[in-house]
């Protein structure tokens, strides 16, 4: 069975027909999830209520954001302004996409990471030495009109629902960028102004049930290449965040998003806020869907620490300024690794 099973490119198309995972998915013993050692006690990362972000309590919410960004780099948000119906429709149509026949999904298949709309598997399948138990669809979604024509046309409602969702989430991200700028003591439009014409991508991660979840990952530990990531997930847990030398499980709460600091924010904030290691594990019982929105500078933007946060005495620039495209090329030139791509952009210490 295993030989024919691995001739399928997407995990979805063989997962339910194997009782052992193919060897190409098996991690070496020292690189396994060790699920019994994961912290599962519950309240893992802060939950911030954004209801009054534009009201008299703004200063208090900014304070909570500052705390969450500097101590966790990860937080959840509720009352974020994205309607529940928009979220439900997005999750449902994404699930429908992955439940389509293989031939429909494979129409978009590509291993070329420069393609702006593609279905693929693992992380960077041409670089990954060991594969990950994940299939995904990746799209670019800002400006929407530049990309919507290449998005999947099936399910028929996919384009409309995704366009509405992406527009709503972008509005939320712009609010978050203002609030995070303020939380760093910067002008509220500081971060937004540093991102050139901005870029927004989405991934639709589909993790089929896995007969041997202890041996593999949905996604191994990594840091996001973004400014910020806004993650929507279904009700199946799987996300884990590395905190105080331990992996901590983050349980889904309906109608909340998970926000995390990405590498570009680590640079702009001069390491006041750090990009945090996280991973996704799989389980034997249930498929899992997660939909991260990745917010980026445009490729022409030049990223570097905010001048206001540099101080020769006690806070010298940790990074030099670099064209975002240089980072981007480095990120996709490799497999997903726990090491950050940022080392190459450190300020010289001479
Ligand atoms: C990612 C990611 C986590 C998840 O796509 O970068 O970290 O829970 N996903 O799927
Ligand atoms: Ni991630």
């Amino acid at each position: 069975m295993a030989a024919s099973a691995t001739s399928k490119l997407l995990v979805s198309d063989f997962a339910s027909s194997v009782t052992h995972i193919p060897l190409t998915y098996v991690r070496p013993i020292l690189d396994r999830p060790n699920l019994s050692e994961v912290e599962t006690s519950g309240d893992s990362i802060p939950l911030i209520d954004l209801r009054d972000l534009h009201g008299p309590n703004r200063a208090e919410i900014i304070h909570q954001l500052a705390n969450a960004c500097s101590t966790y780099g990860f937080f959840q948000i509720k009352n974020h302004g994205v309607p529940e119906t928009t979220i439900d429709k997005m999750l449902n149509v994404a699930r429908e996409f992955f439940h389509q026949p293989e031939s429909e999904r494979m129409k978009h298949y590509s291993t070329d990471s420069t393609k702006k709309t593609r279905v693929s598997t693992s992380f960077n399948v041409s670089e990954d030495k060991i594969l990950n138990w994940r299939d995904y669809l990746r799209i670019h979604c800002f400006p929407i009109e530049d990309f919507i024509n290449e998005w999947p046309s099936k399910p028929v409602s996919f384009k409309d629902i995704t366009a509405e969702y992406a527009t709503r989430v972008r509005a939320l991200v712009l609010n978050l960028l203002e609030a995070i700028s303020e939380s760093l003591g910067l002008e509220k439009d500081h971060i937004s102004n540093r991102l050139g014409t901005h870029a927004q991508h989405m991934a639709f991660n589909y993790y089929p049930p896995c007969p041997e979840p202890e041996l593999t990952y949905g996604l191994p530990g990594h840091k996001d290449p973004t400014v910020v990531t806004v993650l929507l997930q279904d009700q199946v847990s799987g996300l884990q965040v590395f905190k105080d030398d331990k992996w901590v499980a983050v349980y889904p709460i309906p109608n909340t998003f998970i926000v995390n600091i990405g590498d570009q924010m680590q640079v702009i904030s001069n390491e006041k806020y750090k990009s945090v290691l996280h991973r996704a594990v799989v389980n034997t019982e249930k498929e899992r869907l997660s939909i991260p929105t990745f917010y980026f500078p445009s490729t022409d933007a030049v990223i570097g620490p905010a001048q206001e946060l540099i101080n020769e005495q006690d806070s010298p620039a940790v990074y030099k300024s670099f064209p975002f495209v240089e980072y981007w090329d480095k990120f996709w030139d490799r497999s997903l690794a726990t090491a950050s791509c940022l080392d190459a952009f450190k300020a010289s210490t001479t």
Side-chain angles (χ1 to χ4, degrees), residues 219 222-224 229 260 278 294:
L219 273 177
H222 66 281
K223 295 175 182 177
D224 285 355
T229 304
N260 65 282
H278 56 284
F294 299 118

Side-chain angles (χ1 to χ4, degrees), residues 216-240:
T216 193
Y217 289 110
L219 273 177
H222 66 281
K223 295 175 182 177
D224 285 355
T226 55
V227 181
V228 289
T229 304
V230 175
L231 180 84
L232 171 63
Q233 53 176 341
D234 67 8
Q235 287 309 298
V236 180
S237 56
L239 176 66
Q240 300 178 348

